[in-house]
Amino acid sequence: MTSVKLIDIYNHPISQKFIRRSGMAHAISVAYHSFQLAKEYDVNPDWAAKAGFLHDIGHYEWYSNGQWDYQHYRDYDIHPIKGAERAHKLLVRLGEDKQAAKEIAHAILFHTESALPKGNYELTPLQKIINLADEKDKQPGNSHHYRQIDVLKEKTMIQKLDQKIEDYFLTLK
């Protein structure tokens, strides 16, 4: 069982501001992919779903002359770093277990190579899952960040995923 639900994270004003900026439909989709992959790879599906949902919470809007500037994004973006910090702070505020908050933040930090230094490093299974889930949802031209679903469907999907997580842990008892 978990103390902090995805719906608690979803409803928080910080999530609404920053996740909506990078695409709520994408965040929810990555949370679902993360949950499924976590079950396959024997990783905590609660942590995976939360990391998947929060993975782009650090996005900054890179615009030049009113248009999205993909080159500026590629050259200067550090959204995994900002996102890891922002997600950790939010999760701790909501009462998440501190070890869980740390692992989720690290998964967000390593979900993409865009802000990481060059070199070799070993990813944990949770970190690999978030990267895979994000890649699974990507669309050409980064259009996955612009998909829209209505707020009622967002909430329903989040609540269904919370129930799947709860059911998963009930089967372990």
Side-chain angles (χ1 to χ4, degrees):
M1 302 297 270
T2 64
S3 59
V4 176
K5 303 285 187 198
L6 284 168
I7 195 67
D8 301 325
I9 298 167
Y10 170 89
N11 283 329
H12 197 282
I14 295 294
S15 297
Q16 285 297 312
K17 177 180 180 180
F18 293 109
I19 295 174
R20 198 157 295 288
R21 172 188 285 176
S22 61
M24 191 62 76
H26 173 59
I28 293 169
S29 182
V30 173
Y32 269 87
H33 289 313
S34 299
F35 172 77
Q36 290 296 77
L37 288 166
K39 292 191 315 182
E40 292 174 32
Y41 289 90
D42 197 29
V43 170
N44 185 317
D46 178 53
W47 295 6
K50 288 172 181 169
F53 182 67
L54 292 166
H55 80 283
D56 278 342
I57 197 169
H59 262 288
Y60 177 82
E61 295 176 318
W62 292 100
Y63 286 95
S64 295
N65 301 321
Q67 298 289 321
W68 176 256
D69 191 328
Y70 186 71
Q71 192 57 49
H72 270 105
Y73 166 76
R74 293 300 300 162
D75 290 345
Y76 307 115
D77 181 62
I78 61 166
H79 85 271
I81 297 168
K82 185 65 178 172
E85 176 204 13
R86 193 173 280 151
H88 184 266
K89 188 174 183 179
L90 173 63
L91 290 166
V92 170
R93 269 189 190 161
L94 288 171
E96 182 65 77
D97 173 81
K98 288 179 181 53
Q99 186 63 41
K102 180 179 177 180
E103 295 300 326
I104 292 165
H106 280 154
I108 292 165
L109 176 62
F110 290 102
H111 85 272
T112 181
E113 76 289 338
S114 70
L116 298 176
K118 301 291 182 235
N120 296 326
Y121 42 86
E122 187 66 30
L123 297 179
T124 68
L126 177 61
Q127 293 162 0
K128 288 177 189 174
I129 284 169
I130 304 311
N131 175 267
L132 288 171
D134 187 30
E135 290 296 319
K136 197 170 188 169
D137 195 58
K138 284 191 177 173
Q139 295 176 317
N142 285 316
S143 61
H144 55 281
H145 289 293
Y146 302 103
R147 281 195 324 261
Q148 297 289 317
I149 54 177
D150 67 63
V151 173
L152 182 58
K153 186 171 182 181
E154 290 172 1
K155 288 180 180 181
T156 301
M157 291 177 75
I158 290 289
Q159 289 167 329
K160 283 182 180 177
L161 188 51
D162 270 336
Q163 188 61 55
K164 287 177 180 278
I165 293 166
E166 192 170 319
D167 292 346
Y168 171 83
F169 285 112
L170 286 174
T171 63
L172 297 179
K173 288 184 176 184

